[in-house]
Amino acid sequence: MTGTVAEGAVLPRVEFDAQICKGCGVCIEACPEDIIEYAGSFNHRGVLPTQLVPDGLVRCSACGNCAVVCPDGAVTVDNLRKHLHYGKNPLRIGDMHYCP
């Protein structure tokens, strides 16, 4: 999405859960806008989690690539303009013990 907050643009909501992020960097590679970076401090796992760059929401297109490729479900994206939600499905949280 283009525009700034002052122009009244509808910005997406992107959230990174630093506590469950394992710092693999897959979301950084998947972002077409190059607005995701490693954080400056380690989380409780001892890895650098990911975060948005400053003013990243203004340049974010809310494509959802970061949330789709995240193996931990640490990223959620809400595209408020198109009413789409990308991220971990709350019905599929946890491991299935029935699968081999």
Side-chain angles (χ1 to χ4, degrees):
M1 291 180 194
T2 59
T4 62
V5 179
E7 294 173 355
V10 178
L11 297 178
R13 190 176 79 207
V14 181
E15 296 178 4
F16 292 84
D17 190 347
Q19 298 302 316
I20 62 174
C21 179
K22 65 180 178 184
C24 64
V26 177
C27 59
I28 296 173
E29 298 296 324
C31 181
E33 306 294 332
D34 293 327
I35 59 171
I36 304 173
E37 65 182 3
Y38 287 108
S41 61
F42 293 95
N43 64 6
H44 72 285
R45 292 181 176 190
V47 297
L48 289 172
T50 55
Q51 66 181 11
L52 283 176
V53 297
D55 296 330
L57 283 180
V58 176
R59 296 185 304 167
C60 182
S61 63
C63 63
N65 288 353
C66 55
V68 172
V69 300
C70 181
D72 299 322
V75 184
T76 53
V77 177
D78 287 324
N79 187 338
L80 302 176
R81 178 175 278 171
K82 296 182 181 178
H83 304 290
L84 296 174
H85 174 79
Y86 303 99
K88 185 181 275 189
N89 185 348
L91 298 176
R92 296 186 55 107
I93 294 176
D95 295 328
M96 293 278 299
H97 63 277
Y98 297 112
C99 297

